[in-house]
Amino acid sequence: MYNETFLRRAIEISAQALETSGTEPFGAVIVKDGQIVGEGINRSKMNHDPTSHGETEAIRDACRHLETVDLRGCELYSSCGPCALCVAAMNIAGITALYYAADMAQAGDAIADLPEAARFPVDVERLTHECGHAVAERFMPSEQHLDAEATKILKDWAGHARSQV
């Protein structure tokens, strides 16, 4: 259930980018049972990691804090509507609900007059397309090779995992 305090905390985290070099103004918190269990700010430039978005950093922090990769029952509060990468991470982790402040259009409008070199290098429309289509329908050229070998390892690993349960 939405709680304004948590969204305000995500916005407060995003404001740290005004003073912290190498960060960008996207903050997020993960909440479980009414408590913040993870926080994150976009550190892509600082970490030289294009996946270091506020939401993914908050997910990583919550997983470390809770010592799990299963965040079912957790909510994510973000200063901006998440990109497709972050939505995928949220779904993989099992985040139950999302609450956000600015949307992607508002973020785009806010940075529209920045010089190209200062802009985020993400083409949001392309990212959304790529994530929403099967591999063969994506813009990025791709080829499949050695699938039998890779599938054998997956099956062997699954057999081992089943025997451990």
Side-chain angles (χ1 to χ4, degrees), residues 147-160:
D147 57 304
E149 292 175 34
T151 302
K152 181 182 181 324
I153 292 170
L154 291 167
K155 288 179 180 180
D156 290 349
W157 179 86
H160 178 74

Side-chain angles (χ1 to χ4, degrees), residues 16 21 32 65 67 72 74 130:
Q16 292 173 11
S21 180
K32 182 169 184 152
H65 178 83
E67 298 181 342
R72 284 179 286 188
C74 292
E130 294 291 89

Side-chain angles (χ1 to χ4, degrees), residues 32-161:
K32 182 169 184 152
D33 300 326
Q35 299 293 318
I36 294 176
V37 296
E39 295 187 341
I41 187 169
N42 184 307
R43 290 184 175 92
S44 292
K45 290 180 182 179
M46 178 187 295
N47 293 342
H48 307 287
D49 177 357
T51 68
S52 183
H53 295 189
E55 296 88 348
T56 58
E57 288 297 312
I59 289 168
R60 291 170 182 150
D61 189 41
C63 288
R64 283 189 297 268
H65 178 83
L66 298 173
E67 298 181 342
T68 184
V69 294
D70 183 355
L71 297 181
R72 284 179 286 188
C74 292
E75 302 169 331
L76 190 144
Y77 289 79
S78 180
S79 64
C80 186
C83 70
L85 167 85
C86 294
V87 170
M90 292 166 53
N91 279 276
I92 290 166
I95 298 292
T96 304
L98 165 68
Y99 305 101
Y100 63 98
D103 62 27
M104 284 292 198
Q106 291 167 316
D109 289 346
I111 66 164
D113 62 346
L114 278 177
E116 191 66 32
R119 289 186 191 202
F120 318 119
V122 176
D123 178 341
V124 174
E125 288 182 30
R126 181 182 173 101
L127 177 63
T128 302
H129 175 274
E130 294 291 89
C131 292
H133 288 83
V135 174
E137 299 170 356
R138 295 178 187 158
F139 296 134
M140 181 183 292
S142 62
E143 298 177 4
Q144 183 178 20
H145 302 278
L146 303 175
D147 57 304
E149 292 175 34
T151 302
K152 181 182 181 324
I153 292 170
L154 291 167
K155 288 179 180 180
D156 290 349
W157 179 86
H160 178 74

Side-chain angles (χ1 to χ4, degrees), residues 6-7 9-10 13 27-31 36 38-40 58 75-78:
F6 300 131
L7 190 54
R9 176 62 185 148
I13 291 168
V29 298
I30 306 286
V31 175
I36 294 176
E39 295 187 341
E75 302 169 331
L76 190 144
Y77 289 79
S78 180

